[in-house]
Amino acid sequence: MQCPKCSAENPEAETRCTACGASLAVAVLEVIRGNLPEKIRFLRSRSYTLGRARQNDIAFNEPSISKHHARLEYRDGRFFIEDAGSLHGLYVNAAKVRRAALSPGAQIQLGNVTLKFSLLGVDSATGAMRKLPWIEQQELLLSLVQTLNSTLVLNQVLEQVLDAIMHITAAQRGFLLLADTSPDAGRYPVVAGLRLRVARGRGGTANTGDVHGISVPVVRRALESGEIVSSPFLGGTAEGVGSDATAAATVEVARTILCLPLRSPRAGADGAGGFPRGLGTLYVDNDPTAEPFSKDVLRAAEALARHAALAIENAQLFEREQGTIEELRQAQQRLLQSEKLATIGQMAAGIAHELNTPLTYIMGNLELLSLQDLTPSQGEMLEAVTRGSDRIRTLAQRLLAFSRPGREEMVPLLPNDVIERSLELCQYQIASGRLRLVKNLAPDLPPILGVSNQLEMALINLVINAVHAMAERGGVLTVTSARSRDDVEITVSDEGPGVPENIRGQVFEPFVTTKPEGKGTGLGLSTVLMVLERHHGRIHFTTEEGRGTAFVVRLPVAPQGQVQPAPTR
């Protein structure tokens, strides 16, 4: 590429002349219509691709522009523009063209964006453009800062920051390293205690897993000192690393490196040197044979790093606030669900009370009928009705006792009695689910200390979960009890599809459920865990895909001297 000032030949990737330092830009594209943050694009004497895709030489983040919209060709000192198969076509000076030569002042229409083409140093260029070369970096920096301020999404900010530093330095590789403590930080590689969040090559390729060739001492020096570390290739010595750098550091610095610290502008001094808190670093490098980064590039990169640190911190604060809002929303959901469950308990108590009144009339009349002379068939019918009425009364009493606020003190309880009462309240769900109930309850189990209605609630949740697991294909619900050293072991097992592997580690967390919306709250197992922790108990489960799940509860045996169970109601 020929320098327009001294005519020296330069590599195509260079932005400034290696002989005289002049800018190699020969033309400019200015955005004169369109909502794009970057308003100015400088052109050198080479060809470019234009479009929405990031892989283009000049990329426009505008939906109306095709991914590969047009090509700019530089030939014989002139620029030509050609349609690259765009969706809406290419327009030059309001005329649709397939290919056209660009003259100074020409207006190019790409989708909803209008660009003005100008040659540098001629009358048709704007006044600002005639102030080159030093104004080029300032205009470019302003455009990049506007881009950084256009979003508060952290991942987008990090991508834009790295794109901006790559644009300013024209480096071959770029990396953004962040002091990341977010929950998903573990999936990013670690370099010098920082997380490699974004990586970029000159062709737009990205691979955050490739940390090869990053000089760890250079990154540490920039982070600890709070100053730019620039290391041109001078016999393998890194300028700014200092004579105390290790031999390993000298070997690693085999490229032209620029490392910029990202420092929080809000934080007070927290280091021994009094530098603001480090957010991370920007790291770019070139081949060992490349020229050092110029002073203009270093000044522009340092200014960008200051703005980038502010944009990153704003995005981090926004992300944390969003997380707090989400936690508050979940807490509100839990509160509403608790209120809903409390309301259901109050309704259950009211229903039980309402059932007791007509049951009193029914039971009284059944006693009067039993005193009458009845035929054998009538006596059998009366006996069946009496049994049914007794069952309704017992269920109403159990429901009322379960919904009533329980006594908080621990009392001795017989484990099998707690199991029987829990199963009695679940008989309708078991019957309606076409399940077969198998009880293997060990006799003469020692008592446990507990609050009866809380333990019943925990067992009911396990039984209901098992019923729901077998809702589609039925099966056998097995409840067993046994003595296990100093514990009583209660097992509730089903023949359902098993717990999905992706949630096995979170089944006891609130709102984790495999049931469809409206069929479950995801609070059952978290409630079971809470009750068992209060009773100094434990719970674990075994599951097999397609074979079923078994939840095993262990409760400590009551201390000796409390072997007689106290009343539970």
Side-chain angles (χ1 to χ4, degrees):
M1 182 180 301
Q2 192 177 59
C3 174
K5 183 176 181 180
C6 69
S7 300
E9 290 295 329
N10 293 273
E12 184 175 331
E14 292 296 329
T15 58
R16 293 188 177 277
C17 179
T18 56
C20 67
S23 172
L24 295 178
V26 295
V28 66
L29 289 176
E30 298 179 71
V31 177
I32 60 175
R33 189 171 72 85
N35 187 23
L36 292 177
E38 193 170 346
K39 301 296 184 182
I40 300 172
R41 311 291 178 118
F42 294 93
L43 305 178
R44 288 168 284 168
S45 52
R46 68 177 186 87
S47 298
Y48 295 83
T49 58
L50 288 72
R52 192 177 73 251
R54 184 188 293 272
Q55 291 76 18
N56 287 287
D57 298 311
I58 301 178
F60 300 95
N61 187 17
E62 163 59 46
S64 64
I65 296 178
S66 299
K67 290 184 177 180
H68 305 284
H69 202 112
R71 285 185 295 271
L72 268 177
E73 182 185 356
Y74 183 79
R75 192 178 65 188
D76 298 330
R78 299 186 65 186
F79 280 97
F80 298 84
I81 192 165
E82 182 179 8
D83 194 318
S86 64
L87 181 62
H88 301 296
L90 172 68
Y91 294 82
V92 176
N93 295 329
K96 188 173 184 179
V97 299
R98 181 65 184 172
R99 177 182 171 87
L102 295 179
S103 57
Q107 294 191 8
I108 305 167
Q109 184 85 23
L110 305 176
N112 295 330
V113 175
T114 302
L115 307 170
K116 181 182 179 182
F117 173 79
S118 301
L119 293 174
L120 296 177
V122 299
D123 292 340
S124 59
T126 62
M129 292 301 100
R130 287 196 297 269
K131 298 176 184 178
L132 285 172
W134 67 269
I135 196 62
E136 177 181 344
Q137 293 287 359
Q138 301 302 315
E139 293 286 354
L140 179 58
L141 180 61
L142 176 61
S143 179
L144 295 174
V145 169
Q146 290 174 337
T147 301
L148 288 180
N149 293 332
S150 65
T151 180
L152 282 172
V153 179
L154 181 60
N155 288 337
Q156 294 180 8
V157 170
L158 299 180
E159 293 275 355
Q160 290 173 355
V161 167
L162 189 57
D163 284 346
I165 196 66
M166 292 287 288
H167 200 154
I168 284 178
T169 62
Q172 290 180 329
R173 301 191 311 168
F175 306 90
L176 194 152
L177 307 166
L178 202 62
D180 193 350
T181 58
S182 61
D184 62 342
R187 64 191 182 95
Y188 299 106
V190 179
V191 179
L194 303 175
R195 298 287 180 176
L196 176 57
R197 289 294 301 265
V198 191
R200 188 83 71 239
R202 179 173 290 177
T205 57
N207 182 8
T208 54
D210 182 14
V211 297
H212 178 70
I214 299 179
S215 174
V216 173
V218 168
V219 174
R220 286 177 177 163
R221 182 61 180 266
L223 190 64
E224 293 170 2
S225 68
E227 297 179 351
I228 292 178
V229 177
S230 176
S231 57
F233 183 69
L234 297 171
T237 302
E239 178 185 317
V241 173
S243 58
D244 59 342
T246 63
T250 304
V251 173
E252 284 180 3
V253 180
R255 302 172 68 87
T256 304
I257 297 173
L258 174 62
C259 190
L260 303 107
L262 297 170
R263 296 168 293 174
S264 167
R266 297 186 179 93
D270 63 356
F275 295 104
R277 176 172 64 89
L279 300 174
T281 61
L282 280 170
Y283 182 103
V284 295
D285 60 19
N286 279 321
D287 285 334
T289 56
E291 291 293 324
F293 294 104
S294 68
K295 292 182 179 180
D296 286 343
V297 168
L298 293 178
R299 281 195 295 267
E302 185 176 19
L304 175 68
R306 289 195 296 269
H307 290 286
L310 181 61
I312 289 172
E313 190 169 48
N314 285 340
Q316 288 177 327
L317 290 173
F318 179 74
E319 192 174 73
R320 284 197 290 270
E321 288 299 320
Q322 292 296 104
T324 302
I325 291 172
E326 178 61 21
E327 289 176 3
L328 290 174
R329 187 187 66 81
Q330 292 184 4
Q332 185 182 39
Q333 283 185 341
R334 288 193 290 269
L335 179 61
L336 291 173
Q337 188 62 32
S338 299
E339 292 292 336
K340 187 188 299 183
L341 294 175
T343 302
I344 291 174
Q346 293 172 359
M347 291 174 61
I351 292 171
H353 276 296
E354 290 296 325
L355 283 176
N356 280 331
T357 301
L359 273 174
T360 302
Y361 301 140
I362 293 172
M363 298 298 291
N365 287 322
L366 288 174
E367 289 182 10
L368 291 175
L369 283 173
S370 65
L371 299 176
Q372 304 296 321
D373 292 330
L374 302 173
T375 64
S377 61
Q378 289 174 334
E380 291 177 2
M381 292 173 61
L382 181 61
E383 186 178 352
V385 173
T386 302
R387 286 198 304 269
S389 300
D390 285 336
R391 174 162 175 72
I392 293 174
R393 181 175 60 182
T394 301
L395 286 174
Q397 291 173 347
R398 297 293 187 206
L399 189 60
L400 184 60
F402 181 73
S403 61
R404 185 184 298 126
R407 297 166 59 187
E408 291 300 317
E409 65 271 17
M410 301 283 188
V411 296
L413 302 170
L414 291 177
N416 288 344
D417 287 351
V418 175
I419 295 172
E420 292 287 5
R421 287 193 295 269
S422 303
L423 291 175
E424 191 172 10
L425 289 173
C426 298
Q427 281 195 3
Y428 171 75
Q429 285 84 356
I430 295 172
S432 62
R434 305 183 306 280
L435 307 179
R436 184 164 65 91
L437 174 63
V438 174
K439 293 187 290 185
N440 296 319
L441 307 183
D444 302 324
L445 288 176
I448 57 176
L449 282 180
V451 180
S452 181
N453 64 350
Q454 290 186 10
L455 290 175
E456 289 173 26
M457 176 176 63
L459 291 177
I460 287 171
N461 276 321
L462 293 178
V463 171
I464 295 301
N465 277 352
V467 170
H468 288 167
M470 296 185 287
E472 293 185 1
R473 57 185 182 182
V476 178
L477 169 65
T478 305
V479 180
T480 63
S481 64
R483 175 74 181 265
S484 177
R485 294 185 181 180
D486 295 331
D487 295 331
V488 170
E489 187 175 281
I490 302 171
T491 304
V492 179
S493 58
D494 63 64
E495 296 180 342
V499 179
E501 186 175 357
N502 63 319
I503 67 165
R504 290 177 186 174
Q506 296 90 36
V507 291
F508 294 107
E509 295 180 6
F511 302 106
V512 175
T513 180
T514 59
K515 300 170 187 174
E517 187 174 353
K519 296 293 185 180
T521 63
L523 293 173
L525 290 177
S526 65
T527 301
V528 172
L529 182 62
M530 179 182 65
V531 169
L532 292 179
E533 287 176 345
R534 185 175 186 274
H535 287 76
H536 307 289
R538 293 164 292 163
I539 183 171
H540 70 274
F541 70 94
T542 58
T543 186
E544 186 176 352
E545 187 175 354
R547 300 290 296 274
T549 303
F551 282 89
V552 181
V553 172
R554 290 179 180 269
L555 292 165
V557 172
Q560 291 183 357
Q562 294 181 311
V563 296
Q564 296 298 322
T568 60
R569 303 295 181 195

